[in-house]
Amino acid sequence: MSGREETTMPTCQNCGSKWSWKQTFKRSFILIGGMICPYCGEKQYLTAQMRKRSTLIMPIVIFLILLGNLFFGPSYIALFAILGVIPLAAIIYPFFVELSNEEEHPF
């Protein structure tokens, strides 16, 4: 490997099955508890590192867009950027999900 991290779909830590993009996307909207593995039925949780990353990415992107508004003035470009970034983030999110058998505390 060339030293960079390869993006793949999440793997159940209990049965080792790889989840599809659709399965991961649907389960990503469950905020309380864990996500049930579609293959073995066991609960899987986001790793602490993944939860930290996912809570920081969107506020940083929105802040950068608003900062651009501050320096260059309000525009429709910023509005379209915000409306484009949110769906894009939702589409690529399943590729970065990391699962754990146990719920980890982020701090």
Side-chain angles (χ1 to χ4, degrees):
M1 235 196 214
S2 63
R4 66 173 215 234
E5 197 174 311
E6 187 178 326
T7 56
T8 60
M9 298 311 296
T11 303
C12 175
Q13 299 301 303
N14 186 54
C15 67
S17 298
K18 234 176 221 201
W19 293 12
S20 70
W21 181 90
K22 186 176 179 180
Q23 292 166 334
T24 308
F25 185 76
K26 286 168 78 175
R27 283 163 178 76
S28 296
F29 293 103
I30 300 171
L31 300 175
I32 298 172
M35 300 180 271
I36 303 296
C37 175
Y39 301 102
C40 68
E42 291 294 318
K43 245 185 201 183
Q44 295 291 293
Y45 302 92
L46 290 177
T47 62
Q49 181 181 8
M50 182 61 208
R51 289 193 331 202
K52 285 179 194 175
R53 274 192 239 152
S54 64
T55 57
L56 290 176
I57 292 172
M58 285 310 289
I60 289 171
V61 168
I62 291 172
F63 174 75
L64 291 174
I65 292 170
L66 293 176
L67 191 63
N69 267 350
L70 181 66
F71 288 115
F72 304 113
S75 68
Y76 288 113
I77 295 171
L79 176 66
F80 290 128
I82 289 174
L83 295 177
V85 165
I86 293 171
L88 179 64
I91 290 169
I92 65 171
Y93 177 77
F95 292 102
F96 296 98
V97 170
E98 298 170 357
L99 299 173
S100 170
N101 278 335
E102 298 174 4
E103 191 166 13
E104 302 171 0
H105 298 287
F107 300 104

